[in-house]
Amino acid sequence: MKRIQFRPQWARVVLRFALAGAMLCAAPALHAQDGQKTGGSPLDTILRSRLKADVPEAKDFVRQSRRSGEAPEPQPAIGSDPKRPSPRTKAELEDLRSELESAAASNEARAGRRKPLKAAPAPTAQKAKVEKALAD
């Protein structure tokens, strides 16, 4: 006869299943405390649930501020439309094009005149700085 070994991981699995079963058995008892009928089909649950909320009567100041018989109109939250600039003429567009082309040409010329980068300091100089800072 083969002997069954006790393994702690199996004990945890069995304990979890036992707890889950106890929770499932206790769930109807918890709902029965509310005084409602337990059990039934899912259709009964859907029919018993209230899908629409009861709309309370409007207060006096709300009724006075509304126009009688009209639905409220939506109002913009941002305000009126901003004033937009008028379209540019052909002469203005040509001036803008020449200005942008001259700016591009000057940027290309400046890009060719860059200053050379400094060479990186030697690693021994950096070690000396670190050693000096640690000594202080």
Side-chain angles (χ1 to χ4, degrees):
M1 181 189 230
K2 191 173 181 179
R3 190 171 180 190
I4 299 174
Q5 293 179 345
F6 176 74
R7 294 185 180 164
Q9 64 268 22
W10 286 105
R12 284 188 223 125
V13 170
V14 169
L15 181 63
R16 287 182 183 156
F17 275 111
L19 287 174
M23 289 173 55
L24 287 173
C25 291
L30 292 175
H31 289 293
Q33 292 174 357
D34 295 338
Q36 295 179 350
K37 179 181 171 186
T38 58
S41 69
L43 182 62
D44 292 337
T45 305
I46 292 171
L47 292 175
R48 271 190 272 132
S49 64
R50 302 178 73 196
L51 300 177
K52 293 184 178 178
D54 293 332
V55 180
E57 184 73 24
K59 304 233 177 186
D60 291 334
F61 69 92
V62 174
R63 275 185 266 146
Q64 291 170 358
S65 65
R66 290 185 183 165
R67 296 181 193 132
S68 62
E70 292 183 17
E73 295 179 11
Q75 296 180 355
I78 297 172
S80 61
D81 288 337
K83 184 179 180 188
R84 304 202 187 277
S86 59
R88 295 185 177 162
T89 63
K90 287 190 177 191
E92 290 175 335
L93 290 175
E94 289 298 323
D95 290 341
L96 181 62
R97 178 178 288 147
S98 64
E99 181 183 341
L100 290 174
E101 286 174 356
S102 66
S106 68
N107 285 339
E108 289 174 2
R110 283 178 44 198
R113 292 185 289 177
R114 285 195 172 163
K115 294 181 182 178
L117 297 174
K118 292 183 180 178
T124 56
Q126 289 179 348
K127 286 183 183 178
K129 285 182 180 179
V130 170
E131 290 174 0
K132 184 179 178 184
L134 291 176
D136 292 339

